[in-house]
Amino acid sequence: MKIQIKIALLFTSLIAVFVILLSGFVYYFADRNYFQDFFKRLEIRAVIAAKANLEADENNVSIYNEIRREHLEKLPYEKEYIFKIDGSGDIQDTLKALSLPASFLTETLAKKESLYRHNSVFYLGFLYTVNRQNYLIVMSAKNEFGIEYMKNLRSVLIIGAPLCIILALSISLLFSRNILRPVRKITERAKDISSKNLHLRLEVKDGSDELGELALTFNNMLDRLETSFEVQNNFVSNASHELRTPLTTIMGEAEWALGKSRDEEDYKKTLAVIARQADRLDHITKNLLHLAQTGFDGKTQDFKKIRIDELLLEVQRSVVDFHPESIIELDFSLLPEDEEKLYVMGNSQLLQLAFSNIILNGCKYSNYKPVRVALASANETTIILIEDKGIGIPSNELKYIFAPFFRASNTGAYKGYGIGLPLTQNILRMHGGSITVNSSVQKGTVVMVKLPIANLD
Amino acid sequence: MKRVLIPTDFSIRSLNMVQHAVNKFPGEKIEIVLFHLLAMPTSITELMVLPRKKNEYYSIVSDEFYEATQILKNKYASSIDSFTITFQHGSTRAWFNNFLEGRKIDAVVAPGELELAPVFKSSINMSKLIDKCKCLIITPRMKQAEIAEHVPSMAELLPVAQ
């Protein structure tokens, strides 16, 4: 069963219990009150009847009769019986004929007054004493109004309660649909995401409620997935490209040496070149293996505390290693005094990859003009600024630069795969950081990276 | 503990003045009060709603500006104790001197050649008042060009806020 329907049913059954309980209470108390009222009316009539019939004073009798005639409306089927209590069994017999139980008399004698109800007919027994002679007055009437009234009430409740329950059911269905709409949206969106379009993300309106958190968690998972996917992609293209260059050299040198017999000196030279290139190959394969491991290995998720300035120095060294013509100026003038503010939680290989991507882009697209890297720390984030004086990115293309395989329209003269920035963005997302790019064509690009500072404890 | 007043137009560049304050009192803790001067409104209705305008004033302070103050506080962690931002209404010299005395300000940094932008319609040119106040005035020894060279990264570090 769908949760939506479960919620609706639960809500409805709760409402149903309340409505039914309330109806029961209403009916019970209305019934009691209404009949008490009727007995009061019978009582007045019984007292007046007793006075009118049994009073010794003639004047009083006529007054009471007048009161009865003028002021007391006859109740439906109103009947009065007056018995003289003299110990004979007549009373019992008459009462039996009226289908009144024996307890009626005894109760009346004991309490001077008693009530009895038989279907819609109400009886009131009343003990009246004149000149030390006890009389039993029995007043009976049919409570037609009351019965009618209670019938009405009953039908209203019987029709009203189911109506209420139906209303509650429809409202609760509406509500539960509304509440679960984000879940349905997430489901629909998640169905669309496959390995082909891993860059898609779920919509997160506000991350404050549980569903927002769910979407956020889902997005984080997608970030990690996408990163590992792209690391894999990157690995293949990097591998083929980087491995080819030394291989071509080795093959060329070997061919040249084998072409005809050469001097010993020439062979030595050739072999030295081959050895150097083989070294380079070894270095590259090791690096690529490393890269691949960081991307695929689940263990890399355990982040370590990294000093961001040391990481940048490392990146500078490795970038200059690979491209000796690049000039990287590290600007640490805004470094915080407290070195604790320089630590971030992260995977150093991935972060190095991210920063070397940005810095290499800066070098490449500025034809190896100096690239400035500045570092500063705010209270909760550390900010790294990478600035180049390169060809820039056209402003209308700026929003696409993080899409995989996108290359700006002015990059035709430069080699690239359009994979570096998306990979960088994913790595930074994994670390809870962000990247913003400002650029103007032919002037240069400023990339600002923000990473959360590691907790001090 | 020294309390130093620095005029600001809430641009990152105006925070360059912080370093002069730090250099002036080496080895001492400094409380930095960033202030912006506004003219006292002349109409009664404006005066009545004045207390409620605080939010409007503070909304002009960008997140980047706050971030930049944090960066500076981290950079000079041993000397800067705190940053506070305050808006004041007033334009006369007498009032300004009173204000400096009342707040127990030890020194004021003069913007010198750095031009502060009038952020609000009622913003007041603060450098004139500062030049003539009775407090210790810290004047930057460097020319504008040198400032730009000396702390090149500050404004560019947060390019969004420029």
Side-chain angles (χ1 to χ4, degrees):
Chain A
M1 202 196 291
K2 279 189 172 180
I3 287 190
Q4 184 189 324
I5 294 172
K6 265 190 201 165
I7 292 175
L9 282 184
L10 192 75
F11 181 72
T12 312
S13 53
L14 208 67
I15 295 281
V17 168
F18 282 141
V19 166
I20 289 168
L21 271 180
L22 186 70
S23 311
F25 275 125
V26 165
Y27 188 78
Y28 175 70
F29 283 107
D31 184 80
R32 249 180 68 162
N33 261 339
Y34 201 84
F35 293 142
Q36 261 174 13
D37 178 60
F38 194 75
F39 276 126
K40 275 264 159 7
R41 290 165 72 179
L42 274 183
E43 194 183 349
I44 292 171
R45 278 164 181 77
V47 171
I48 302 280
K51 298 243 181 204
N53 287 311
L54 303 169
E55 192 68 35
D57 193 336
E58 278 296 317
N59 280 337
N60 283 349
V61 168
S62 63
I63 289 171
Y64 281 121
N65 274 322
E66 196 179 323
I67 289 174
R68 283 185 84 178
R69 241 188 353 264
E70 302 279 319
H71 301 290
L72 286 178
E73 187 195 346
K74 275 242 172 203
L75 294 170
Y77 302 99
E78 183 181 310
K79 278 174 196 144
E80 57 175 271
Y81 310 91
I82 300 176
F83 306 102
K84 200 174 180 183
I85 296 174
D86 47 9
S88 68
D90 294 353
I91 299 176
Q92 289 287 8
D93 295 339
T94 341
L95 285 181
K96 243 177 214 157
L98 284 168
S99 71
L100 282 169
S103 60
F104 185 71
L105 179 63
T106 48
E107 202 187 325
T108 314
L109 289 175
K111 294 186 185 168
K112 291 200 161 182
E113 192 178 288
S114 75
L115 305 170
Y116 179 71
R117 176 185 170 189
H118 184 252
N119 290 332
S120 58
V121 187
F122 290 70
Y123 296 90
L124 182 109
F126 181 70
L127 199 67
Y128 189 74
T129 318
V130 184
N131 299 333
R132 295 191 182 164
Q133 175 63 55
N134 286 336
Y135 294 92
L136 171 68
I137 295 128
V138 176
M139 205 73 187
S140 84
K142 237 183 181 175
N143 187 1
E144 273 186 333
F145 299 119
I147 299 295
E148 199 60 26
Y149 173 81
M150 289 315 292
K151 232 187 220 165
N152 254 339
L153 183 66
R154 200 161 50 224
S155 49
V156 164
L157 289 178
I158 285 173
I159 296 168
L163 272 181
C164 269
I165 292 166
I166 290 169
L167 197 71
L169 182 69
S170 43
I171 288 177
S172 61
L173 269 174
L174 215 74
F175 265 116
S176 58
R177 255 177 83 97
N178 228 343
I179 287 169
L180 293 174
R181 186 180 299 145
V183 176
R184 275 203 307 283
K185 266 192 185 163
I186 289 176
T187 319
E188 276 164 25
R189 186 81 173 157
K191 270 183 198 158
D192 289 343
I193 299 174
S194 69
S195 63
K196 296 279 185 299
N197 49 9
L198 263 181
H199 62 281
L200 291 181
R201 289 292 176 272
L202 301 178
E203 221 176 298
V204 182
K205 282 223 177 76
D206 43 34
S208 53
D209 61 354
E210 286 86 346
L211 291 171
E213 249 171 50
L214 178 69
L216 219 62
T217 317
F218 214 84
N219 279 350
N220 284 338
M221 191 189 74
L222 282 172
D223 283 344
R224 292 196 292 276
L225 268 180
E226 196 189 359
T227 312
S228 54
F229 253 74
E230 273 166 19
V231 166
Q232 193 181 10
N233 270 344
N234 209 28
F235 172 72
V236 173
S237 48
N238 269 344
S240 48
H241 176 73
E242 295 290 340
L243 293 174
R244 266 186 76 89
T245 330
L247 269 179
T248 327
T249 319
I250 289 173
M251 274 151 64
E253 287 288 328
E255 246 169 59
W256 179 82
L258 290 172
K260 59 176 187 183
S261 57
R262 313 254 177 200
D263 301 343
E264 194 183 332
E265 203 57 24
D266 281 343
Y267 283 129
K268 267 188 186 166
K269 257 190 199 165
T270 312
L271 284 175
V273 170
I274 289 176
R276 209 168 47 240
Q277 292 301 329
D279 254 5
R280 202 179 146 193
L281 261 182
D282 182 53
H283 178 74
I284 291 169
T285 38
K286 258 187 209 156
N287 268 357
L288 285 177
L289 213 62
H290 217 65
L291 173 67
Q293 275 169 351
T294 54
F296 306 137
D297 200 351
K299 284 177 201 157
T300 51
Q301 289 304 325
D302 54 8
F303 285 177
K304 286 198 191 80
K305 244 179 154 184
I306 301 165
R307 251 189 92 134
I308 198 79
D309 53 339
E310 283 170 4
L311 184 102
L312 288 176
L313 282 167
E314 193 69 32
V315 169
Q316 183 193 30
R317 211 172 301 137
S318 69
V319 168
V320 173
D321 256 5
F322 269 102
H323 299 271
E325 63 272 45
S326 34
I327 307 160
I328 299 160
E329 295 167 356
L330 288 180
D331 176 359
F332 287 158
S333 64
L334 284 170
L335 223 55
E337 282 179 4
D338 180 7
E339 60 181 38
E340 282 292 334
K341 295 257 178 205
L342 285 171
Y343 284 102
V344 295
M345 291 305 287
N347 178 310
S348 113
Q349 256 100 29
L350 286 178
L351 281 180
Q352 272 191 35
L353 186 66
F355 285 115
S356 62
N357 263 331
I358 303 173
I359 293 170
L360 267 175
N361 276 349
C363 293
K364 188 162 75 175
Y365 294 116
S366 65
N367 293 315
Y368 300 101
K369 282 184 199 142
V371 171
R372 201 170 63 84
V373 180
L375 173 66
S377 285
N379 281 355
E380 273 144 25
T381 49
T382 175
I383 299 160
I384 300 108
L385 196 89
I386 298 119
E387 190 187 6
D388 67 58
K389 303 264 178 282
I391 57 169
I393 303 162
S395 57
N396 54 339
E397 293 175 11
L398 212 51
K399 56 186 167 204
Y400 301 117
I401 55 172
F402 295 116
F405 304 110
F406 173 82
R407 301 203 67 214
S409 54
N410 54 351
T411 56
Y414 304 91
K415 254 196 233 163
Y417 309 101
I419 255 173
L421 270 186
L423 178 67
T424 304
Q425 191 194 29
N426 285 335
I427 291 173
L428 292 173
R429 267 195 208 159
M430 261 170 75
H431 290 81
S434 68
I435 175 168
T436 40
V437 178
N438 278 312
S439 184
S440 50
V441 174
Q442 293 308 334
K443 279 194 180 154
T445 305
V446 181
V447 180
M448 183 164 65
V449 174
K450 285 187 184 178
L451 282 170
I453 291 174
N455 282 340
L456 298 180
D457 41 59
Chain B
M1 180 81 84
K2 296 282 180 193
R3 195 173 284 170
V4 180
L5 196 71
I6 297 180
T8 182
D9 60 355
F10 306 106
S11 67
I12 310 279
R13 201 165 281 279
S14 71
L15 287 174
N16 272 337
M17 283 181 268
V18 171
Q19 59 169 326
H20 304 310
V22 173
N23 294 338
K24 183 77 182 177
F25 302 106
E28 262 191 276
K29 276 271 180 193
I30 308 175
E31 219 182 298
I32 288 181
V33 181
L34 296 166
F35 87 113
H36 192 83
L37 265 190
L38 301 159
M40 189 63 97
T42 43
S43 81
I44 288 178
T45 42
E46 269 183 76
L47 269 172
M48 279 167 70
V49 297
L50 200 60
R52 278 185 241 156
K53 288 189 105 175
K54 269 266 150 66
N55 286 340
E56 189 192 315
Y57 294 149
Y58 280 103
S59 68
I60 201 148
V61 188
S62 63
D63 288 345
E64 283 79 9
F65 188 81
Y66 281 119
E67 215 160 48
T69 59
Q70 288 174 6
I71 288 172
L72 282 171
K73 189 167 176 272
N74 284 334
K75 174 167 161 57
Y76 301 114
S78 58
S79 41
I80 295 180
D81 179 70
S82 67
F83 275 100
T84 45
I85 296 174
T86 171
F87 291 88
Q88 293 298 328
H89 294 275
S91 52
T92 62
R93 274 163 62 187
W95 167 81
F96 190 56
N97 282 327
N98 251 340
F99 168 71
L100 294 177
E101 205 182 308
R103 285 286 182 103
K104 297 197 174 70
I105 303 285
D106 294 299
V108 185
V109 180
E113 291 192 21
L114 190 80
E115 290 215 355
L116 296 176
V119 189
F120 296 99
K121 253 191 257 168
S122 54
S123 289
I124 282 180
N125 186 349
M126 289 173 276
S127 32
K128 273 187 198 162
L129 273 179
I130 290 170
D131 287 341
K132 289 178 182 159
C133 76
K134 283 182 187 163
C135 193
L136 171 64
I137 301 172
I138 304 170
T139 27
R141 268 163 290 158
M142 288 168 293
K143 294 264 185 287
Q144 179 77 34
E146 285 170 342
I147 293 173
E149 204 176 311
H150 189 76
V151 190
S153 46
M154 192 59 237
E156 287 147 24
L157 191 64
L158 302 151
V160 194
Q162 273 181 9

